[in-house]
């Protein structure tokens, strides 16, 4: 849609082919149906939030910034607001309003939209892309330029079934390894995960290790599920760990009290214990941890749950501190594409002109968005990649 708006603004006749029955199915489900359409951070921070091939985006990001996206969407009749972490949403909290704004803008610019229209393949003759063949196999649509903006493999129910990768390969492009990203992890300690299911931890720190190598470290919010771990922190970690976890399981360490040093934490535990002298160990931890977490902590420390707190030794307190600062889980795999917010990997950007998004191999063929080997962390950054690359392709 953004490529169509940009192309029409540049004076081209634009025909948008959509295989779904309506526009913007992927936008519809983003941000839990609220559509976190970009991030209001500086463009330097925007670049830093890109996990794969950030340098490639320099030209398109600065050519069509987050502010440009916000201005366009608001001018098209969808007021926006900025929330925690710079995340930008429609004031209405309805992603359908973003879709409507883009559709209205396309309409004003005379973009022709064909719904329920599936493309089977590109028409490439003598190294030039000159149209597409529709899925019914008979109809050939001629064009001077073709932009492929088919998305990746995540949420296949929205129509992103990897068609763009197939066409790119047929046109001679390299497609890098594809992996689900911004996706939950499964853990080995299933019994603990199931007992903690639904527990959300705010303001915790996590680190993910592969052997001695640290792959990811950050603070924020996470969630336990029946199969493992999820939530914003974990989803972002998945983008940095997708390649590593294919080789071997990874270690997740959760710091439940990142604001406290070991000494401060021990003093805090001593204070709690002195106020509960006659209580059993298992009943003296409710000021320190959420109720659901206490049985898991008690079990893992190996301290007798019935032991009176005044009998808990200094050594046992040290074990409790250690557990609080590094509660460990073994990450065994990522969940699949059906649950992944994005796809990591895609058409190699070495074969694409970063200023125009045109293929260096086939004239008149352009690629935009998630079909390219580009991805970022959560917070509106992946949609900004889509808007900026789409705008560059349409304008070129």
């Amino acid at each position: 849609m953004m490529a169509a708006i940009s192309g029409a603004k540049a004076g081209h006749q634009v025909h948008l082919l959509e295989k779904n029955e309506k526009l913007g199915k992927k936008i519809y489900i983003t941000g839990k149906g609220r559509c976190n359409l970009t991030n209001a951070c500086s463009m330097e921070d925007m670049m830093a939030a890109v996990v794969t091939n950030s340098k490639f985006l320099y030209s398109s990001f600065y050519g069509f910034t987050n502010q440009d996206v916000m201005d366009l969407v608001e001018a098209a009749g969808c007021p926006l607001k900025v929330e925690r972490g710079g995340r930008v949403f429609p004031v209405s909290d309805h992603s359908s309003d973003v879709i409507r704004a883009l559709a209205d803008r396309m309409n004003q610019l005379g973009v022709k939209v064909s719904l329920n229209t599936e493309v089977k393949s590109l028409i490439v003759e003598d190294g030039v892309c000159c149209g597409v063949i529709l899925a019914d196999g008979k109809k050939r649509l001629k064009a001077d330029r073709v932009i492929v903006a088919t998305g990746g493999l995540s949420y296949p129910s929205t129509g992103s079934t990897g068609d763009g990768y197939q066409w790119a390969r047929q046109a001679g492009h390299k497609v890098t390894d594809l992996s689900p990203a911004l996706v939950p992890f499964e853990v080995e300690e299933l019994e603990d995960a199931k007992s903690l299911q639904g527990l959300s931890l705010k303001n915790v720190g996590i680190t993910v290790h592969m052997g001695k190598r640290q792959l990811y470290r950050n603070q924020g919010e996470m969630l336990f599920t029946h199969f493992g771990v999820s939530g914003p922190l974990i989803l972002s970690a998945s983008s940095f760990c997708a390649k590593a976890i294919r080789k071997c399981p990874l270690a997740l360490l959760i710091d439940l009290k990142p604001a406290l040093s070991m000494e401060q934490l021990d003093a805090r535990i001593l204070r709690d214990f002195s106020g509960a002298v006659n209580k059993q160990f298992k009943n003296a931890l409710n000021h320190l941890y959420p109720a659901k977490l206490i049985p898991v902590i008690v079990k893992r420390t190996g301290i007798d749950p019935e032991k009176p707190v005044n009998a808990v030794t200094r050594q046992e307190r040290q074990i409790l501190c250690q557990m609080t600062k590094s509660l460990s889980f073994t990450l065994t795999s990522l969940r699949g594409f059906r649950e992944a917010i994005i796809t990591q990997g895609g058409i190699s950007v070495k074969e694409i002109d970063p200023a125009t998004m045109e293929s260096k191999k086939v004239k008149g063929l352009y690629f935009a968005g998630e079909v390219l080997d580009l991805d970022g962390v959560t917070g509106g950054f992946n949609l900004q990649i889509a808007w900026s690359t789409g705008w560059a392709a349409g304008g070129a």
Side-chain angles (χ1 to χ4, degrees):
M1 288 194 277
M2 195 59 89
I5 290 167
S6 174
K9 257 182 79 81
H12 302 289
Q13 283 184 309
V14 181
H15 190 173
L16 188 149
L17 308 175
E18 170 58 77
K19 77 171 175 182
N20 288 316
E21 74 290 353
K22 60 184 176 194
L23 289 166
K25 265 190 157 180
K26 186 65 85 50
I27 295 176
Y28 191 71
I29 59 167
T30 59
K32 299 193 174 78
R34 295 171 60 219
C35 187
N36 174 195
L37 73 153
T38 186
N39 195 288
C41 64
S42 69
M43 287 313 288
E44 288 75 22
D45 288 346
M46 184 71 72
M47 293 290 288
V50 177
V51 177
T52 311
N53 295 320
S54 60
K55 286 194 181 77
F56 174 84
L57 285 161
Y58 194 88
S59 172
S60 58
F61 264 8
Y62 282 94
F64 192 65
T65 65
N66 48 2
Q67 192 57 54
D68 294 330
V69 173
M70 293 187 271
D71 291 347
L72 185 147
V73 173
E74 291 206 302
C78 175
L80 303 173
K81 60 179 175 180
V82 181
E83 293 189 3
R84 187 170 54 84
R87 290 168 158 82
V88 179
F89 292 93
V91 169
S92 65
D93 284 331
H94 293 308
S95 54
S96 52
D97 291 342
V98 177
I99 301 166
R100 192 175 304 116
L102 296 174
D104 287 351
R105 189 72 187 106
M106 287 198 298
N107 194 25
Q108 286 164 9
L109 290 163
V111 174
K112 181 182 177 187
V113 176
S114 295
L115 300 174
N116 297 305
T117 305
E118 189 173 346
V119 172
K120 183 180 162 192
S121 61
L122 305 173
I123 302 170
V124 178
E125 293 167 0
D126 303 324
V128 179
C129 186
C130 48
V132 297
I133 298 172
L134 298 185
D136 55 24
K138 300 180 197 74
K139 194 153 184 216
R140 294 162 75 89
L141 290 182
K142 289 287 193 180
D144 302 312
R145 304 280 189 277
V146 175
I147 301 174
V148 174
T150 50
L153 285 169
S154 52
Y155 295 127
S157 59
T158 62
S160 50
T161 47
D163 306 339
Y165 302 131
Q166 192 185 324
W167 305 335
R169 285 190 191 102
Q170 285 164 354
H173 278 279
K174 178 179 186 255
V175 176
T176 64
D177 288 344
L178 304 170
S179 164
L182 298 185
V183 66
F185 287 95
E186 296 187 348
V187 301
E188 199 172 276
E189 300 80 359
L190 270 181
E191 197 184 313
D192 285 352
K194 281 179 178 155
S195 71
L196 296 170
Q197 183 179 349
L199 174 65
S200 176
L201 298 175
K202 290 180 170 56
N203 305 320
V204 293
I206 68 163
T207 48
V208 182
H209 293 271
M210 180 184 190
K212 288 189 174 151
R213 195 168 128 234
Q214 184 178 296
L215 299 175
Y216 182 79
R217 182 189 189 104
N218 213 336
Q219 267 177 249
E221 196 176 322
M222 65 167 286
L223 171 76
F224 287 98
T225 67
H226 65 286
F227 56 76
V229 285
S230 186
L233 255 190
I234 297 294
L235 297 182
S236 286
S238 72
S239 286
F240 293 90
C241 304
K243 289 183 179 75
I245 201 162
R246 289 211 284 268
K247 296 175 190 154
C248 64
L250 307 175
L252 166 69
L253 297 177
I254 305 166
D255 184 347
L256 298 165
K257 302 287 176 193
L260 301 178
S261 67
M262 286 288 275
E263 292 71 29
Q264 290 168 320
L265 179 60
D266 189 40
R268 160 87 195 268
I269 290 170
L270 266 176
R271 261 204 324 277
D272 282 1
F273 281 5
S274 63
V277 188
N278 301 316
K279 279 191 176 172
Q280 294 173 324
F281 174 59
K282 65 178 182 186
N283 298 327
L285 301 171
N286 50 349
H287 291 304
L288 209 52
Y289 313 107
K292 253 190 178 176
L293 196 53
I294 294 171
V296 173
I297 297 274
V298 170
K299 178 183 80 176
R300 290 202 185 188
T301 59
I303 301 166
D304 177 3
E306 317 287 323
K307 193 175 206 176
V309 288
N310 56 11
V312 173
T313 65
R314 183 170 183 276
Q315 194 183 358
E316 286 173 327
R317 270 200 337 271
Q318 283 306 107
I319 293 169
L320 184 60
C321 287
Q322 202 65 53
M323 188 68 60
T324 308
K325 296 294 283 177
S326 55
L327 182 64
S328 69
F329 284 87
T330 310
L331 305 174
T332 53
S333 62
L334 297 171
R335 296 290 276 182
F337 282 110
R338 297 168 79 98
E339 291 174 50
I341 294 174
I342 57 157
T343 305
Q344 191 170 73
I347 297 161
S348 170
V349 296
K350 291 180 183 138
E351 301 170 350
I352 307 294
D353 181 328
T356 63
M357 300 296 140
E358 186 174 16
S359 161
K360 290 177 182 176
K361 291 179 168 275
V362 178
K363 284 232 160 302
L365 176 60
Y366 298 73
F367 295 96
E370 201 181 327
V371 76
L372 292 162
D373 185 10
L374 301 165
D375 64 282
V377 298
T378 56
F381 303 107
N382 289 288
L383 273 178
Q384 183 64 43
I385 292 172
W387 308 135
S388 291
T389 55
W391 188 264

